[in-house]
Amino acid sequence: MPDRDHSLDFWRSVATGFRTGDVIFDLFNEPFPFAETNTARAWDCWRDGCTLTSVNTGQPYPAAGMNELVAAVRGTGSKVVLLAGGIHWAESMTGWLDHRPVDPAGQLAASFHAYSFNEYCADTDCYDRDLKPILATVPVLTGEVGPSLKVDAAKVDDDCPQRAVRKGGWAGDTLDWLDEHGVSWTAWSWNPWGDCWSLVKDWGGEPTPAWGKELRRRLAAS
């Protein structure tokens, strides 16, 4: 979770520069309070803040909640759209509505991250259960969608070459569901890294053989 000491000042600074316009603020990327998938204390911390132990220093620190981040932005007069990603690296959305942050501007959206190796929500049954109720209340943006992979989930951070991508499968089913239900999405990732996540071979935009071409075909057909 974001630290209370610096994150609020950060958002006040950014929001002062962008009070209006075609930008979206993702308040904190992939929160994971207590590393728990769906507990009351994790959701309470997400909304209201709490004391957590830093994974970097091992020391306790005061974490800011989503309500504080929203208030910091709105206190500048900024009216831009805000994203509040769910817990457990933005894949758990079950408690989002019950802990919905207060946005006086009414410009809040929910953010979800979809990967084939998600531990808590990785299939259309979960999307039906967790995302549909949120969609009835606020917009949902799937801020990251990854490809279907042939490699084990435990290995993707160590080695995920382009040959590990397989066409269709989980990614196709997920993107079909998102499109059918009017959920906005962006794919991970527009970077020429040369790995399984890369959508492009270079900054000129040539698509990678599997993931890049699959996304280009989908976007061209929409």
Side-chain angles (χ1 to χ4, degrees):
M1 292 292 291
D3 65 279
R4 188 171 284 146
D5 288 341
H6 298 86
S7 298
L8 302 180
D9 286 339
F10 167 82
W11 278 119
R12 290 187 188 104
S13 175
V14 173
T16 297
F18 295 93
R19 288 191 171 92
T20 60
D22 296 330
V23 295
I24 297 175
F25 296 163
D26 189 356
L27 293 171
F28 190 73
N29 184 60
E30 297 192 340
F32 57 100
F34 305 110
E36 295 171 348
T37 56
N38 186 36
T39 64
R41 71 168 184 166
W43 279 109
D44 288 346
C45 179
W46 178 84
R47 180 189 61 199
D48 302 323
C50 64
T51 299
L52 292 173
T53 300
S54 170
V55 296
N56 297 312
T57 67
Q59 300 299 311
Y61 73 97
M66 290 291 171
N67 270 335
E68 294 171 85
L69 300 180
V70 173
V73 171
R74 297 303 182 222
T76 69
S78 177
K79 304 296 184 183
V80 304
V81 174
L82 304 180
L83 296 179
I87 65 171
H88 202 61
W89 292 271
E91 68 159 291
S92 175
M93 306 293 288
T94 307
W96 198 97
L97 283 177
D98 288 340
H99 295 79
R100 178 181 175 179
V102 177
D103 180 14
Q107 288 284 83
L108 183 69
S111 179
F112 170 67
H113 287 186
Y115 288 98
S116 59
F117 50 82
N118 278 3
E119 298 176 348
Y120 186 75
C121 191
D123 56 46
T124 56
D125 287 342
C126 178
Y127 309 156
D128 286 336
R129 182 195 69 203
D130 291 356
L131 298 186
K132 271 187 176 181
I134 301 173
L135 274 169
T137 304
V138 300
V140 175
L141 169 67
T142 306
E144 295 182 18
V145 181
S148 301
L149 296 174
K150 303 174 186 177
V151 296
D152 184 83
K155 300 178 181 179
V156 294
D157 286 336
D158 298 325
D159 183 27
C160 195
Q162 289 188 20
R163 64 179 180 275
V165 178
R166 62 184 180 89
K167 296 179 181 180
W170 174 88
D173 292 343
T174 293
L175 291 168
D176 285 344
W177 191 97
L178 297 175
D179 287 341
E180 289 168 5
H181 292 83
V183 179
S184 299
W185 53 267
T186 55
W188 184 264
S189 169
W190 188 272
N191 285 292
W193 291 331
D195 59 14
C196 67
W197 314 113
S198 297
L199 291 165
V200 292
K201 293 181 178 180
D202 53 48
W203 291 119
E206 183 181 356
T208 50
W211 187 218
K213 288 185 176 180
E214 181 177 353
L215 263 293
R216 186 173 69 172
R217 283 193 297 270
R218 180 174 290 270
L219 291 171
S222 63

